[in-house]
Amino acid sequence: MKSYLAKMRGSRASRRDIDWHDAAWSWLGAFVGMGAVTMLGERWLTGQLLVVGSFGATSVLLYAAPESPFAQPRNVLLGSLLSALVGVACFEWFGATALAVALAVSLSVLVMQLTHSVHPPGAAAALIAVIGGADVHALGWWFPIIPIALGCSVMLIVAMLVNNLARHRRYPHYW
């Protein structure tokens, strides 16, 4: 028992000095990426839901941690799309219930692991498909395409453009 509890103690994190230059690039990417998704929804897809909460977490990965395996294009697009499909299926079968919530998140984790496309915001997309309310539920099986796949695609394009402007960044690391 002692060794089990000792695992939870952790260790002191070593932190680098704040890199204001890198933080500025992250800010720019997040601003342009979310701005592009929002403007697309407001100007060209009026009446369509295009901004969902999981995009905030996707922005952190794409623009502040572009080297992360979770931020690579395959993971972002496939992980989010598959998870949203799982979430819609769970809602269709079980409604907005506790069972649907638990299944949507857990099955999306399973599917992402089995397809080598783990993207943590994908599980949020699955959750949103179940608990997102009338606007999300009205989209039905379109939810994985619009807003999830379209929004992720826009943010990926911005990530490639902005991250590669900085000399010290390269994105993507792999497809």
Side-chain angles (χ1 to χ4, degrees), residues 77-147:
L77 196 54
L78 190 60
S80 293
L81 178 65
L82 292 175
S83 294
L85 284 167
V86 166
V88 171
C90 289
F91 174 77
E92 293 292 328
W93 293 332
F94 303 107
T97 63
L99 177 61
V101 166
L103 281 173
V105 173
S106 63
L107 288 174
S108 71
V109 169
L110 177 66
V111 167
M112 287 187 288
Q113 282 192 295
L114 293 176
T115 58
H116 302 286
S117 62
V118 175
H119 180 61
L127 179 61
I128 291 165
V130 174
I131 66 165
D135 288 343
V136 171
H137 298 154
L139 292 172
W141 292 102
W142 280 102
F143 177 73
I145 305 300
I146 299 172

Side-chain angles (χ1 to χ4, degrees), residues 13-153:
S14 62
R15 291 185 173 86
R16 302 178 284 151
D17 289 339
I18 295 172
D19 183 346
W20 292 100
H21 188 247
D22 193 49
W25 282 108
S26 298
W27 173 86
L28 179 64
F31 182 81
V32 173
M34 286 307 300
V37 169
T38 303
M39 285 179 56
L40 179 65
E42 285 180 352
R43 298 193 185 219
W44 291 291
L45 297 173
T46 40
Q48 291 293 323
L49 171 73
L50 193 57
V51 177
V52 291
S54 60
F55 290 170
T58 296
S59 293
V60 172
L61 290 168
L62 286 175
Y63 311 118
E67 69 287 344
S68 168
F70 302 140
Q72 300 313 303
R74 172 189 168 85
N75 295 50
V76 172
L77 196 54
L78 190 60
S80 293
L81 178 65
L82 292 175
S83 294
L85 284 167
V86 166
V88 171
C90 289
F91 174 77
E92 293 292 328
W93 293 332
F94 303 107
T97 63
L99 177 61
V101 166
L103 281 173
V105 173
S106 63
L107 288 174
S108 71
V109 169
L110 177 66
V111 167
M112 287 187 288
Q113 282 192 295
L114 293 176
T115 58
H116 302 286
S117 62
V118 175
H119 180 61
L127 179 61
I128 291 165
V130 174
I131 66 165
D135 288 343
V136 171
H137 298 154
L139 292 172
W141 292 102
W142 280 102
F143 177 73
I145 305 300
I146 299 172
I148 299 298
L150 180 59
C152 285
S153 297

